[in-house]
Amino acid sequence: MRRDIEFRTEDGVTLRGWHFPAKGVDGPAPTVIMAHGFTATREIFLDDFAEVFAEAGLGVIVYDHRGFGVSDGEPRSHADPWAQIDGYRDAITWAQSQPEVDAERIGIWGSSYSGGHVLVVAAIDRRVKCVVSQVPLTYGLETARRLIRGDMWTGLRAAFEGDRAARMAGDPGAKMPVTAPEGQPSALPTADTYEFFMGFQEARETNWKNEVTLRSIEMFTEYEPATYVSRIAPTPLLLVVASGDHLTPFDLTARAYEEALEPKKLLVLPGGHFDAYTDEPFRISSAEQRDWFVKHL
């Protein structure tokens, strides 16, 4: 039975989530730390993955990033990749202090935006003994250039500059929708993004809000997790990609995988970016991810 947890980051922000105890384990258990992608919150399918891992004897800690869901943090709806990376590292520190956790057997899991984060964390934090990165952002600027029409960039850059000036003058900063119907401005302008988030809101109760700071989008374009990939080894890396992904494009993730050193494994799923969370791709992927963590933790 999962329980609610909370812990404080090094700079004093309270992050909240769930702990799923490892089934059939007496004493400290190998533990996987999980957080979601760009603006997403814990209840958007992370519990499904956590339950699969827990059934295999892995403890799981799932939490919301600062400024999202049930976690504290201001400004709200602000996705700072480096603050989120620090959140993972603070989660590791907290987990290692818990009696249910084997401090020497910590794995990390991330998907989409946080799939990029775990590549960085695994490269710089040797407390991580195993990593799974699902449909990750790898090259921020190149991905953004595929999502945003070329004739829109001049106006977007001007908006970034205007937002900086406004924040300097004391304004809280602009926000925009994460997703919107086709043709309307949004941070992630793909039809499958809109279908995924709107469909989930109808199907389940969620703390997700359809808003993100403009500064978050600027930071997205400056974020390059792939530059860290060659430094992950000797930590084992499972990289999960979707063959039809156009939000975090398959070819960019495959390019990043080529930069990784052994031990590594590439799992290619059918479908698009969001199919990785549901139905047959989920069944395939969650089993492979479970086995990877069990093997290496």
Side-chain angles (χ1 to χ4, degrees):
M1 179 71 70
R2 75 188 186 200
R3 64 181 175 88
D4 292 337
I5 60 164
E6 63 177 48
F7 60 93
R8 290 174 69 82
T9 65
E10 191 171 350
D11 62 342
V13 175
T14 298
L15 305 184
R16 298 183 179 87
W18 297 313
H19 175 249
F20 293 77
K23 298 287 182 66
V25 177
D26 293 323
T31 298
V32 177
I33 294 172
M34 306 176 63
H36 222 316
F38 193 76
T39 78
T41 51
R42 59 181 180 164
E43 66 273 6
I44 304 179
F45 297 114
L46 292 198
D47 49 342
D48 294 346
F49 285 94
E51 287 167 0
V52 170
F53 301 159
E55 285 288 343
L58 299 162
V60 186
I61 291 168
V62 181
Y63 69 95
D64 282 333
H65 294 296
R66 66 171 65 205
F68 294 93
V70 294
S71 290
D72 292 346
E74 296 292 339
R76 302 301 292 174
S77 303
H78 180 55
D80 178 338
W82 298 104
Q84 293 182 357
I85 285 166
D86 285 342
Y88 268 100
R89 302 184 78 182
D90 290 330
I92 293 169
T93 302
W94 179 80
Q96 289 183 317
S97 72
Q98 301 304 299
E100 309 98 321
V101 175
D102 185 332
E104 299 303 316
R105 292 191 288 169
I106 298 287
I108 55 175
W109 182 101
S111 187
S112 196
Y113 208 41
S114 69
H117 301 345
V118 296
L119 298 176
V120 179
V121 175
I124 63 180
D125 196 324
R126 290 302 162 193
R127 296 176 298 173
V128 175
K129 298 304 189 290
C130 183
V131 57
V132 171
S133 175
Q134 176 176 278
V135 293
L137 175 74
T138 49
Y139 299 91
L141 180 58
E142 191 167 351
T143 299
R145 287 194 177 279
R146 296 194 189 188
L147 292 172
I148 301 167
R149 281 181 10 209
D151 62 337
M152 302 294 290
W153 273 92
T154 299
L156 183 61
R157 293 290 187 197
F160 291 160
E161 293 166 9
D163 189 55
R164 281 181 171 274
R167 297 197 313 271
M168 181 68 76
D171 189 278
K175 292 182 180 178
M176 70 182 306
V178 177
T179 185
E182 187 174 358
Q184 297 182 22
S186 68
L188 301 177
T190 67
D192 57 342
T193 302
Y194 185 74
E195 180 181 346
F196 176 78
F197 280 110
M198 294 302 107
F200 190 89
Q201 278 198 311
E202 293 176 1
R204 299 192 193 183
E205 184 177 348
T206 173
N207 287 306
W208 178 76
K209 292 185 177 180
N210 189 17
E211 63 177 23
V212 68
T213 65
L214 186 59
R215 174 65 175 134
S216 300
I217 301 167
E218 184 179 17
M219 298 183 86
F220 182 109
T221 69
E222 300 166 351
Y223 184 40
E224 304 292 338
T227 60
Y228 287 83
V229 168
S230 64
R231 295 166 51 185
I232 293 173
T235 303
L237 166 66
L238 173 61
L239 197 58
V240 181
V241 297
S243 59
D245 196 335
H246 53 262
L247 188 61
T248 56
F250 170 87
D251 63 299
L252 297 186
T253 311
R255 184 201 306 170
Y257 179 77
E258 290 302 312
E259 295 293 320
L261 305 177
E262 297 289 347
K264 64 179 181 178
K265 182 176 181 180
L266 183 70
L267 174 62
V268 181
L269 301 176
H273 185 83
F274 297 102
D275 292 315
Y277 299 98
T278 60
D279 300 328
E280 186 61 20
F282 167 78
R283 286 188 286 273
I284 296 168
S285 185
S286 61
E288 289 274 359
Q289 294 175 26
R290 173 201 65 205
D291 293 348
W292 187 258
F293 281 128
V294 168
K295 177 180 179 180
H296 294 288
L297 294 179

